[in-house]
Amino acid sequence: MNHLSKFILLLVMLVSMQVQAESVDINTASAGVLASAIDGVGENKAASIVAYRDANGPFGSVDDLAKVRGIGAATIDKNRDNLTVAVPVKK
């Protein structure tokens, strides 16, 4: 592998690591974003997360995802580092 190919490979790896490192706010993310960001969650479970959030208000913590049917502690623990909950601004 020549130097240019190695550099390009390294650059691609760094960019993919940066994309994965960004946290997803479970209170604002769309179902599509949630499905792609949460390992073990597909489109249907992601839609359930959004429906729960719409019906019950914002999540207070990442652990509150367990209140959504089909989301268990193992899924939350596996994804905890990639998820966040923004603190709602009080008016």
Side-chain angles (χ1 to χ4, degrees):
M1 199 182 271
N2 65 33
H3 292 300
L4 181 59
S5 296
K6 288 180 183 178
F7 176 74
I8 291 172
L9 179 61
L10 179 62
L11 185 60
V12 168
M13 290 172 57
L14 289 173
V15 168
S16 68
M17 288 173 58
Q18 177 64 27
V19 170
Q20 292 177 353
E22 293 182 28
S23 293
V24 173
D25 183 354
I26 61 173
N27 281 333
T28 60
S30 66
V33 169
L34 292 169
S36 63
I38 304 175
D39 189 26
V41 170
E43 290 291 331
N44 289 338
K45 284 186 187 176
S48 295
I49 292 169
V50 172
Y52 181 92
R53 183 179 71 203
D54 290 345
N56 299 287
F59 295 100
S61 71
V62 171
D63 291 312
D64 284 347
L65 279 175
K67 296 177 181 177
V68 179
R69 184 176 181 174
I71 307 294
T75 300
I76 294 168
D77 289 340
K78 183 172 31 174
N79 293 282
R80 184 176 304 280
D81 293 340
N82 299 330
L83 303 175
T84 188
V85 175
V87 177
V89 177
K90 294 184 179 182
K91 295 181 180 183

